Every structure is written in structure tokens, then in C-alpha cells.
Amino acid sequence: MLAKSPTGTWLPAWVPESSALISVLLLFCAAVESSTNGFDGSLLNGLNVLKVYTGYFNLTPATQGLNTASVYIGKILGLTVAGVLTDRLGRRPTIFWSSIVSLIGIVIQSAAQNIAMFVVGRAILGLGSCWAGVASAVYLTETFSARWRSWGVAILQNFYYVGALLAAGVTLGTGRWNSTWAWRAPSLFQGIFAIICIVILPFIPESPRWLVGQGRPEDAHKVLAQVNARGNLQDPVVLAEYQMIVETLNYERAMAGRAPSLKDLIRTPVARRRLLIGSSPGLFSCVAGNIIASYYLGTELGAAGITNANDKLKANVVLNSWCLVCCLFGTQLAVRWGRKPTALTAQFLLTVFLMTIGGLTKKYSADPAGASNALVYGNVACIFLFQGAYSVAWTPLMSLYPPEILNFSIRANGVAVKQYANAIPALVLVYVMPIGLANLGWKMYIINASWNIVTFVLIAVYWVETKGRSLEEIDEIFEGKKKHETIEVLKSAGQLNILDHEMDLNKETVDVEVSEVKD
């Protein structure tokens, strides 16, 4: 059975009665961007190995980098409005339009007759996918059932490897075709995720926090009940979360005295601190060194001693299967162990593995003919271990950590900045990487490992732990107890109209508030 859910937008919703089913649909819909990105990276990994693709476009290292990196041109352009669209149109409509734009780009890319057409198609694809990247992370963080939020949001980015594995399998099959359909068919298949998203959207609710921000608290209450308690408005979990949301957003509105804007990102020292920490995963994950294996695995394997094209395509399948297992394990670590310890451990391992890959690649390049099988397979093993370590931390943390750090008024625009912090260096690195590998070889790995040490120090010094806290409780890390004092003042002045009930889920906060009222 389906029940109508208020959305506050032109896009209606009829959601299932089962809260568990709603959570599954939310996850699959929000995963469209990560799946598309994963498919794209693995697709280009496969295509860059195929002579029918490189020969069709007569690719040089420079034009190969342009073809591959052009998706980030669209992302950088699209991110200028991604946060604004997410806040003004709503989370669901933004995801809908992003899917439409992505499909247009995919069709143009698949039908490309020359490099210019291929680049334009990929730029449009990047434009659409970046809107989904901002909206989906914010949407899932704000809407997913409270009891499963950390798991659901962390798993969101894991779908990268679902898309990547699918692309690896498709290109392995079509790679044997002696026609342009060897690369056109898998490129066209990339649209499956956007289509799935469009089909699911009418059956999932709008973000309750966005609804409160639009002045529709009763609609938000109903959505919270549908997502958490099969529509029971009086469920204690629903009532507790509803009060926390309304209190927090009213507090932010009262303190700002205006509607949220882009200036809120840098208006106060606290906002600037949130922005720097919240956007850092975008930069840190991009410069960690995974771009080589994500887009130029064939070149990397060739430098390691694997020269057969079919063997490279098979390695692409195995690598993405391995990374999918690792990112699921990493989700467990991030939720149970903590965000910061997971990132630090993985960053240490990434540095060690990159140094090792650089050393083994140097030894192989000095005497390829005399290189032993142990050297070749040892290097390949280190490549797999490196990608596994990356997947353990950065795959789940990219979607989980930034929306937690950023409060409601800056969440959408802050996630857009995080995407900028990823897309701008990615555009440069994806373009220059084949040139760098061709000219510097093994030295590229050592250079990359060196700046990973800097990343490790920055995480250790500046990151804060968010494990085990609700979105509203995370605010206390940055705002302290001042927020609750202000809420009490607003309550006494009659400026907050919220439900009165026991806050069983947040007893510590309630005790603090009660003691403040007594004082």
C-alpha cells in the first residue's frame, strides 16, 4: 500500500507503508551519482585500453587526458549552482533534473563522431552528475531513518564500485568487438542509473529538514513518521527527532536573522571552520593517488609488467570487486570505530603502498626483459592493496563526513564546495596524469606519496569525531551549549512552537536544558 507524502514541490510522492522499504528506495535513488561516477571511471579505464577507441579518436597522451578529464569541466561549471538548486527547488526535484541532464550527456557521448563531441557529451554528463552529487548526499543525510543514518549515508558512496564493477564487466565483454560499438555500447549503458532514479523518485519523501526550512513543520512531522515509524506520528523516536530538528533550525534562523545564503559559508569563524573541515574530504580523497588506478589502470599495469589488453580488462573487473568488499568493510569501521581513526589508518597505508609501488615500478622499468614474475605480481598486488586501503576510508567518508560537519543552513552549499575541492584538482590531475606517467614514470608515485604525509597531519590536527551523534548533536561540537541556552530563551518568549514530550533519545541534552531552566 502507498500513502501520499507531502513534498512542498511540484514533484508528488506516494510512499510505501514500510519504513524499511522507504529506506531501501531512498538509498537506491540517492546512489545514482556515485554509481554513475563509478561506472564512468571504470568505463574510461576499459576504453583507454581498447585500440578501437584510442584509434578512432587518434588519441595522444594530451587528448586522452582531455577526453577523460572533460567530465570534470562540467562538474566545475555545474557546482556554481548545485547548492542553490538543492536549497531552492528541493532535494528530490534537483535529483530529477540532474538525471535528465546526465542522460542527455550520455547520449551525446555515446554518439560522438569526434573528440569535440565526446568532450561536450562528457561535460554535460559531469554537469548533471554534480547536481546529483550535492543533492543526494544532503538528501540522504537529512531523510534516512535515524537508526540507520550513518550506515545508509556511508554506503551511499560504496555504490561507486557497484557502477565500476558493472562497467568493468560490460567493457570486458564488448572489448572483443571489432567496431566502435565496443565503446559506444558500454557508454550508452551508463544511463541505466539515471533511469532507475527517475522511476524511484515518485515513491520516496522529501527531506523533513528541508520542509521545516520551508515553513512546513507539520509536513516534516508526517515525513519523519513515514521514514521512522510506519506513519505513527506519536512514536517517541519521531517526536524526539522532530523537536531536535525544529529547535535547531529555529535557532539557526534566530541567530542569522535572515534566510540561508551563500555568505553563511564564511560569515562566522564557526562557519568557516565547518566549511574547511567539511570540504577537506573532497581534496584529500582526490590527491590520495587513486586517480591513476581509477582512470589509467591500463598504463599503471603496463608499467608494472602486465601488457596484454585482455588481461588488463580482467584486472579491472577483479580490482573493482576487491574495492567493493573493502569499502563495505570501511563502512563498518567508520560507523563502529570512528571517522577520524579510519581516515588516519587508511592514509598511513596509502602512503606506504604508493612508496612501494614507486620502488617496484622503478626496478621493473630498469630491466623489463629481465624482470621476474615475483616482481611483476608483487607490484600488481601493491596496486590492489593501495586501492583497497583507499576504498576502506575515502569511499564511505566522502558521502558520510561532510554533511555531518555542515549544519542545515550551509549543508547544500558546503557539500557543493566539497565537490569543488574534489573536481578542480581532479580536472588537473586526470588531464596531466598520462603526461606525467609518460615522462616521470615511477617518480609520480613518490611525489603523490609525499603529499599524502601532509594530508595525514592535517586530518590528525583538525578533524573532529562525529561517531554516535545525531546531526543536531554534532552542532554542539562547534556551537557548544550556547545553542540550548538560546533555545530556552526563545521558548520563554514564545518564539518556538514545538511538541512537548520526553527526550528519551537525548537524555544528556535534556538534563542540561532542565538544569539551565532551574538556574
Side-chain angles (χ1 to χ4, degrees), residues 32 81 96 102 160 188 199 284 312-313 315 345 356 360 385 474 486:
V32 61
V81 296
F96 173 83
S102 295
Y160 179 97
L188 195 61
V199 171
F284 294 165
K312 292 178 181 179
L313 291 174
T345 302
T356 306
L360 293 176
L385 290 172
I474 291 170
T486 305

Side-chain angles (χ1 to χ4, degrees), residues 32-37 40 71 74-75 94-110 120-133 187-195 197-198:
V32 61
E33 188 265 347
S34 58
S35 301
T36 301
N37 282 347
D40 187 74
V71 70
K75 288 186 177 185
T94 303
I95 294 174
F96 173 83
W97 290 116
S98 73
S99 300
I100 296 296
V101 173
S102 295
L103 285 172
I104 294 172
I106 288 167
V107 170
I108 296 174
Q109 173 183 305
S110 304
V120 169
R122 287 183 56 73
I124 294 174
L125 169 61
L127 179 74
S129 67
C130 82
W131 293 349
S187 179
L188 195 61
F189 196 83
Q190 191 171 6
I192 188 67
F193 303 108
I195 294 172
C197 182
I198 292 171

Side-chain angles (χ1 to χ4, degrees), residues 294-313:
S294 293
Y295 289 97
Y296 303 109
L297 179 63
T299 303
E300 185 173 26
L301 290 174
I306 305 297
T307 57
N308 182 271
N310 197 50
D311 289 341
K312 292 178 181 179
L313 291 174

